[in-house]
Amino acid sequence: MTKRTDYCGQLSSDDIGRTVTVCGWVAKRREHGEFLAFVDLRDRTGIVQCVVDHAHDIRSEYVLAVTGTVRERPAETMNTDLPTGSIEIGEATVEILSSAEPPPFQIDGRVDVDETIRIRHRYLDLRTGRMQQNLRSRAAINAAIRRSMEDQDFVEVETPMLIASTPEGARDFVVPSRLSPGDFYALPQSPQLFKQLCMVGGIDRYYQVARCMRDEDLRADRQFEFTQLDMEMSFADGEQVRAVVSEAVSDATEIITGDRPDSIPEMPWIEAMNRYGSDKPDVRFGLELVELTEVFAGTDFNAFKASTVKGIKVESGADIGRNQLDQLTDKAKSWGAKGLVWIKVGPSGEVTSPVAKFMSEAEISGLLSAMDANEGDICYLVADDWRPVVHVLGLLRLELGRPPVNEGGLRFLWVVDFPLFQDVDDDGNPLPAHHPFTMPHSEDLELLSNSNAPADLLKVRSQAYDLVLNGWELGSGSVRIHRREIQQQIFNMLGINEEESQKKFGFLMDAFRYGAPPHAGFAFGIDRLVALLVGEENIREVIAFPKTQSGADPLTNAPSSIDASQLDELGLRVLPPAT
Ligand code: ASP
């Protein structure tokens, strides 16, 4: 094979007169007169036009080595859309290195190709400029993050993949043990417990670009397998952890955009919920939730006799049609609202609404002034308990105003002071909002010991924090409990008794007997960060070999059955499908 001297996309007018050899795939072939053909040759750097002898039988995606002399293109054939559009390789000789069948979809054809077909032939999809660029950006981001952590004196430690279950709240992927039939390993949902053990082990500043596995339904921002930047530090508080992580994500952002983000603002969880109806607010746009409970405190309108009334105003939004309003109402109901009230403001401040007749004048004027609503505006109102109100309006806000992924800049945000518990289960046990190793807020320890009333428990703040970017949760972390007795108390409150906690987390509790330093940490999803930085709506586009929406890999056919002998060896028997 003739040796490559240059990459296609890197040739320029500086190379005119040089004899070069480029290697790659045929992106396009066009006849030129009787004896010549134009071949656009593609490699990972781009495309260059080659003028070759017509005698060659060359088709799309053939693999060629092309040798010829770089020359200026005739003025009429210059292509300003192509970086190499002012030159071509002339009088080229061609060596066919591989022939190719017609591909199942046109590469770089910009046609929508079915997801399963793309992933079944992912190696062809990877040839596209989009995937080449995305994977390079991903590699650059990974490298920037590693460099940043190393510069901040963190040590990369690899933790095991075959472990006992980690409680991140998702379903485990399990691996049967051959040497201990009937027993199973779990694949890590995160390296959480190992990084805490690293702290007891005096590593002091740990990080890992960690692969994690969670058996949850797949979504645009979720695959079974994902990559996290996982970190933990000793003798440090949440503020120090956030500073380290801010530095790493800023370094990653700068590598891609050329701009360093401003310092990342912080917002308490309760403020995020009240203003944006979300613990991962997309602060690229306004449409904030407005508090109206007081306005309707003495209302006769039954639907508004609720503990919370809030609304969203859309400026100049009153020209929305009845059909769309009905659709919004249906959506709000599917999110859990009892109803959605809309009120349009007319030219002289008069309002139009199906429920205007149930509101007093004072309520209407109070509402308009609280929402600063003027002619042409529309207000959407929801009344219920606080949680459903903020939940529904948070989703409505996204529906009404969320910009596409690549518009509105990159708005990082730290959400701090999460509650310790997110809810109470049917048995009255509180459910942890983060994971059970999160330290309660020191000022709220009282609430934790004084009372078991669920309403009070839900008020306990934790020292947990999330990093949010454009409405996506990039990651979570917390100050950890490093004292056995507090950890046991939290386990007890979560309904995990001593026997169970000993069985599941005994190794951590035992380690804490031997001197555990105070420690805190964080992990953020690299797939999500890359997707947002390169402007992709789905993390699949920044993963070389992703699964489809249904969790399958049509390329390798995973998951698939295994041999009877393998099952025997593992002591497993597969039941017939439930009828
Ligand atoms: N282990 C947590 C997670 O994967 C992150 C952390 O608390 O450090 O979400």
Side-chain angles (χ1 to χ4, degrees):
M1 186 194 111
T2 322
K3 274 210 180 112
R4 165 158 64 194
T5 62
D6 290 82
Y7 280 95
C8 300
Q10 288 172 352
L11 292 173
S12 71
S13 48
D14 293 347
D15 298 297
I16 290 174
R18 282 183 58 224
T19 298
V20 297
T21 299
V22 289
C23 299
W25 288 261
V26 175
K28 217 191 270 166
R29 173 191 195 276
R30 294 180 310 283
E31 305 300 324
H32 183 63
E34 223 177 310
F35 301 112
L36 290 177
F38 286 130
V39 168
D40 283 351
L41 199 68
R42 175 194 343 103
D43 65 19
R44 68 181 183 134
T45 61
I47 285 178
V48 70
Q49 174 170 294
C50 312
V51 185
V52 304
D53 189 342
H54 189 115
H56 293 288
D57 181 19
I58 297 166
R59 293 174 211 278
S60 277
E61 302 308 318
Y62 270 38
V63 185
L64 311 181
V66 177
T67 305
T69 306
V70 180
R71 66 186 189 201
E72 191 165 56
R73 285 202 204 180
E76 68 279 8
T77 65
M78 295 236 179
N79 179 351
T80 46
D81 290 342
L82 206 63
T84 60
S86 67
I87 52 140
E88 63 190 9
I89 298 178
E91 291 152 38
T93 55
V94 168
E95 193 180 339
I96 297 179
L97 303 174
S98 259
S99 61
E101 289 177 22
F105 52 87
Q106 201 195 331
I107 291 162
D108 266 337
R110 310 243 171 269
V111 260
D112 268 343
V113 182
D114 173 70
E115 183 203 29
T116 311
I117 296 182
R118 267 182 76 195
I119 297 184
R120 177 173 304 138
H121 301 278
R122 187 63 160 179
Y123 42 86
L124 295 180
D125 202 24
L126 292 182
R127 287 185 199 162
T128 60
R130 171 189 185 178
M131 284 306 301
Q132 290 280 328
Q133 190 51 48
N134 285 355
L135 291 183
R136 278 167 162 257
S137 296
R138 184 182 178 118
I141 289 167
N142 261 327
I145 290 171
R146 277 212 162 89
R147 207 158 40 236
S148 186
M149 296 309 285
E150 297 282 335
D151 287 350
Q152 298 185 80
D153 209 15
F154 281 71
V155 178
E156 182 157 28
V157 178
E158 289 156 284
T159 52
M161 298 300 281
L162 295 173
I163 64 171
S165 180
T166 332
E168 294 289 355
R171 214 174 283 113
D172 283 320
F173 279 102
V174 295
V175 179
S177 158
R178 174 180 59 87
L179 295 178
S180 178
D183 288 340
F184 294 81
Y185 300 96
L187 297 175
Q189 292 188 33
S190 81
Q192 183 64 33
L193 298 171
F194 287 99
K195 67 176 171 175
Q196 293 194 243
L197 292 174
C198 283
M199 295 304 104
V200 184
I203 306 286
D204 197 81
R205 288 182 168 222
Y206 144 95
Y207 86 98
Q208 182 178 193
V209 175
R211 303 297 300 278
C212 304
M213 258 72 53
R214 296 182 191 175
D215 188 356
E216 295 177 294
D217 289 343
L218 285 77
R219 293 191 314 221
D221 63 354
R222 205 153 71 187
Q223 284 265 321
F224 286 157
E225 303 178 47
F226 59 99
T227 309
Q228 285 193 327
L229 184 278
D230 191 47
M231 61 82 80
E232 194 77 15
M233 57 200 293
S234 292
F235 308 106
D237 57 16
E239 207 180 309
Q240 286 164 288
V241 167
R242 294 196 289 278
V244 169
V245 173
S246 295
E247 188 71 11
V249 293
S250 298
D251 287 346
T253 306
E254 199 175 349
I255 277 287
I256 298 300
T257 66
D259 289 326
R260 198 165 183 82
D262 297 334
S263 80
I264 301 178
E266 298 195 351
M267 185 183 290
W269 174 86
I270 189 74
E271 183 183 334
M273 295 302 285
N274 273 324
R275 288 175 57 191
Y276 298 98
S278 170
D279 58 5
K280 43 177 194 284
D282 189 339
V283 294
R284 287 177 299 165
F285 66 106
L287 296 181
E288 288 187 27
L289 281 52
V290 180
E291 180 58 57
L292 298 167
T293 310
E294 278 303 306
V295 174
F296 294 99
T299 191
D300 291 327
F301 179 26
N302 276 336
F304 277 14
K305 287 181 180 161
S307 63
T308 304
V309 185
K310 279 175 174 284
I312 290 179
K313 175 190 77 177
V314 181
E315 245 174 64
S316 314
D319 52 3
I320 183 171
R322 196 53 201 245
N323 262 351
Q324 273 174 290
L325 284 170
D326 288 345
Q327 280 169 14
L328 281 179
T329 306
D330 288 344
K331 278 196 176 151
K333 285 185 179 157
S334 74
W335 299 324
K338 294 193 178 120
L340 179 69
V341 164
W342 54 262
I343 298 161
K344 293 181 179 180
V345 189
S348 44
E350 81 281 5
V351 299
T352 318
S353 167
V355 299
K357 54 182 177 288
F358 302 119
M359 296 182 192
S360 71
E361 263 177 38
E363 283 166 358
I364 290 175
S365 68
L367 157 79
L368 296 183
S369 91
M371 302 204 75
D372 190 22
N374 298 301
E375 178 185 347
D377 297 346
I378 185 167
C379 303
Y380 298 96
L381 273 55
V382 176
D384 202 333
D385 289 338
W386 179 79
R387 271 179 190 268
V389 167
V390 293
H391 171 71
V392 169
L393 285 177
L395 292 174
L396 182 69
R397 176 180 173 268
L398 295 179
E399 180 77 25
L400 293 171
R402 187 175 207 172
V405 66
N406 49 3
E407 282 173 24
L410 294 164
R411 298 287 299 272
F412 288 96
L413 178 73
W414 285 106
V415 177
V416 300
D417 291 344
F418 266 74
L420 190 61
F421 304 115
Q422 61 176 346
D423 215 339
V424 179
D425 70 13
D426 295 341
D427 300 328
N429 296 317
L431 299 163
H434 188 34
H435 50 51
F437 313 105
T438 303
M439 186 74 105
H441 209 291
S442 49
E443 288 163 21
D444 294 355
L445 277 171
E446 285 275 288
L447 278 172
L448 201 60
S449 52
N450 271 357
S451 152
N452 276 325
D456 283 340
L457 288 181
L458 292 180
K459 283 192 207 132
V460 178
R461 287 167 301 167
S462 73
Q463 298 189 51
Y465 31 83
D466 273 9
L467 180 60
V468 175
L469 174 56
N470 293 2
W472 283 25
E473 180 201 316
L474 280 189
S476 309
S478 57
V479 175
R480 324 297 184 187
I481 299 168
H482 67 282
R483 298 230 315 265
R484 275 175 63 85
E485 64 284 3
I486 304 183
Q487 187 65 74
Q488 192 59 59
Q489 182 191 0
I490 296 289
F491 283 151
N492 291 343
M493 294 186 75
L494 296 174
I496 309 175
N497 64 31
E498 214 145 320
E499 193 189 328
E500 197 184 344
S501 69
Q502 187 58 35
K503 187 169 163 235
K504 282 191 174 155
F505 313 118
F507 60 95
L508 183 70
M509 301 292 274
D510 284 346
F512 282 0
R513 287 176 202 272
Y514 301 104
H519 56 286
F522 198 77
F524 64 85
I526 291 182
D527 314 89
R528 289 183 184 177
L529 178 63
V530 176
L532 290 173
L533 290 182
V534 305
E536 290 285 4
E537 304 269 4
N538 195 312
I539 60 170
R540 200 171 56 215
E541 308 303 345
V542 299
I543 296 174
F545 297 102
K547 305 272 186 291
T548 62
Q549 197 71 30
S550 61
D553 176 8
L555 172 60
T556 62
N557 267 332
S560 52
S561 58
I562 57 173
D563 288 349
S565 60
Q566 267 178 301
L567 285 173
D568 278 349
E569 202 169 42
L570 296 167
L572 295 179
R573 192 161 301 141
V574 178
L575 294 173
T579 45

